[in-house]
Amino acid sequence: MSRESQADLSGEPSATPLPGTLSENLRTELIAFRRDMHMHPELGNQEFRTTAALKHRLERAGLTPRVLTTGTGLFCDIGTRESAPGARPMLALRADIDALPIPDTKAGVAYRSTVPDRAHACGHDVHTTAVLGAGLVLAELDRQGLLPQPVRLIFQPAEEVLPGGALDAIESGVLEGVGRIIAVHCDPRVDVGTIGLRTGPITSACDRLEIALDGPGGHTARPHLTTDLVTAAAKVATEVPALLARRVDARSGLALTWGRIAAGHACNVIPQHAELSGTVRCLDLKSWREAPDLVHAAIDEISALYHAKSQINYVRGVPPVVNDLVMAELLRDAQTARRGPQSIEDTEQSLGGEDFSWYLEQVPGAMARLGVRTPGDTSRRDLHRGDFDADERAIQVGVELFTAAALIDGDRS
């Protein structure tokens, strides 16, 4: 939940403070930017208003943002890139700008969504504002000659649209000249002022599965003369996940979970058609690559037992986000420099998916979990819920984490 209170989040930073902290004026501006974005959520690949607002603010800062070829999203370089051969590739800061197709159910806040059935219920508005703020701070440091090397800002559309807008962003050239990349994701289980870190997988792979089952249909009095399609659908729903659990290493965490089952219209009619849809999630990259063949085989086996014809649409989603050791340590060092080691906690691997993973297929990088919970809040507002909100002090934490990472990374080049 958001708070105007400016309780001290400084922690115990290093003895020699880094430049790049957030001024009070910019802090106020960024909160206003986040609230405006929160009030006007846009779905993936429709983020025209958000893209225009970001472009306008970056241009006001004297920067030259470039809109992606897809028409939404943009990227922007800060600092003069050396043209000499051997120049070190840039560090990129990535944000996602799209919202979710769910209603905003928060009460008592002036910045509640004004768009029906649209909400920033995953914190992308916080991610975006943090990267924007970091860009504005780094641009000022560059004018003062204090930015050791160029940095790229990436504002990516359509993170919530499988297989993720990151692929379109990469196709648009956002990683050209980039050698490393970092990001944050809001975590309502972590107190504001704190980040969660881990080396290795921090999210899971996530694919979408859609199944259509067909049969001739018939009378419920004579199921032996036809294909009992409702029973077939029920068996697929229960037995396919169980079969998969015996065909993959349990440590892979492969899990098929259904979100929708539909069949029939009358109590005494065996239907001709049934549908199931759900998600396939797994913890490791090897299992993710094997999952489509395993899932297809399991569905074919179970549906054949009940004489149902199956059509399978397996939609590839995203691989796990696997944090690089060196880049995770960069985030750890940056947070320690700002708020001390006590502001970092170990975090577990989530079964959620994140298309930041596509960047990590190309360059090393890491994602931190950004605490957005007000200390003492026990409401447990989770991500992807209409009542989700963030303590807005997290914006400052994110800005200062990004700027510290850019400065530390540059000094190590």
Side-chain angles (χ1 to χ4, degrees):
M1 62 186 62
S2 300
R3 293 287 186 270
E4 295 286 357
S5 168
Q6 289 306 297
D8 182 19
L9 295 176
S10 60
E12 298 176 2
S14 58
T16 305
L18 286 170
T21 55
L22 198 59
S23 70
E24 180 64 19
N25 286 342
L26 184 54
R27 184 199 67 80
T28 300
E29 179 191 348
L30 291 175
I31 289 176
F33 187 95
R34 180 258 172 173
R35 292 184 178 187
D36 181 73
M37 186 174 171
H38 199 87
M39 292 172 66
H40 302 91
E42 297 173 301
L43 298 184
N45 297 314
Q46 300 174 24
E47 312 95 332
F48 297 103
R49 184 183 188 278
T50 302
T51 298
L54 288 164
K55 183 173 183 289
H56 175 69
R57 185 60 186 92
L58 292 167
E59 288 175 340
R60 279 179 50 207
L63 300 171
T64 308
R66 289 170 279 179
V67 176
L68 303 186
T69 55
T70 52
T72 63
L74 52 88
F75 64 105
C76 181
D77 292 347
I78 301 169
T80 303
R81 179 144 178 80
E82 296 179 21
S83 58
R88 190 180 187 219
M90 286 180 285
L91 173 71
L93 317 179
R94 175 267 196 175
D96 38 11
I97 66 175
D98 58 322
L100 285 162
I102 63 175
D104 189 337
T105 61
K106 291 189 297 299
V109 295
Y111 51 85
R112 181 176 171 177
S113 173
T114 61
V115 184
D117 300 320
R118 303 288 184 267
H120 271 292
C122 199
H124 293 188
D125 53 336
V126 174
H127 309 163
T128 298
T129 306
V131 171
L132 172 63
L136 298 176
V137 171
L138 291 172
E140 179 58 33
L141 291 177
D142 185 49
R143 284 188 284 271
Q144 298 172 23
L146 298 176
L147 185 63
Q149 70 171 17
V151 174
R152 174 165 294 169
L153 314 178
I154 299 174
F155 298 94
Q156 175 215 303
E159 190 275 331
E160 300 287 355
V161 181
L162 290 179
L167 291 173
D168 290 330
I170 293 168
E171 183 68 22
S172 293
V174 300
L175 290 183
E176 293 175 9
V178 167
R180 300 159 310 289
I181 189 167
I182 56 176
V184 297
H185 197 294
C186 289
D187 192 335
R189 302 165 301 172
V190 177
D191 283 351
V192 66
T194 301
I195 66 168
L197 274 179
R198 102 182 242 119
T199 300
I202 192 171
T203 70
S204 301
C206 178
D207 299 333
R208 188 172 76 243
L209 177 63
E210 299 167 345
I211 305 171
L213 299 176
D214 291 288
H219 200 296
T220 56
R222 293 177 286 279
H224 59 292
L225 298 180
T226 186
T227 295
D228 188 350
L229 208 61
V230 173
T231 296
K235 292 296 185 179
V236 167
T238 56
E239 294 184 17
V240 169
L243 188 58
L244 289 171
R246 291 297 177 266
R247 292 189 174 176
V248 296
D249 189 328
R251 292 170 296 183
S252 72
L254 191 148
L256 167 55
T257 305
W258 305 107
R260 176 178 172 270
I261 301 177
H265 300 284
C267 67
N268 61 345
V269 178
I270 294 175
Q272 295 177 307
H273 184 75
E275 295 178 352
L276 303 89
S277 58
T279 59
V280 178
R281 300 176 188 269
C282 51
L283 300 176
D284 68 76
L285 198 56
K286 179 177 180 294
S287 298
W288 179 70
R289 289 173 174 153
E290 297 173 348
D293 290 341
L294 291 169
V295 170
H296 272 78
I299 293 169
D300 287 342
E301 286 183 33
I302 301 302
S303 58
L305 285 174
Y306 296 90
H307 306 290
K309 295 180 180 179
S310 61
Q311 291 184 316
I312 304 167
N313 182 26
Y314 193 108
V315 182
R316 264 311 199 190
V318 294
V321 172
V322 181
N323 279 352
D324 175 76
L325 171 62
V326 173
M327 297 308 295
E329 287 304 306
L330 173 63
L331 288 169
R332 184 177 299 277
D333 291 344
Q335 180 71 0
T336 298
R338 292 299 190 203
R339 291 175 172 80
Q342 78 288 342
S343 68
I344 303 168
E345 63 179 47
D346 294 333
T347 191
E348 62 187 11
Q349 183 178 4
S350 165
L351 277 170
E354 231 290 352
D355 77 351
F356 184 67
S357 54
W358 291 122
Y359 299 106
L360 304 190
E361 296 275 296
Q362 307 292 323
V363 297
M367 170 176 281
R369 301 198 192 284
L370 181 67
V372 297
R373 179 179 65 191
T374 300
D377 181 12
T378 60
S379 58
R380 296 185 180 180
R381 292 183 175 89
D382 201 2
L383 301 171
H384 288 221
R385 279 179 37 169
D387 62 350
F388 171 79
D389 204 353
D391 188 317
E392 290 173 319
R393 292 174 294 177
I395 295 170
Q396 177 176 349
V397 178
V399 169
E400 295 182 356
L401 173 69
F402 283 132
T403 56
L407 294 170
I408 292 170
D409 180 72
D411 286 339
R412 292 174 178 173
S413 62

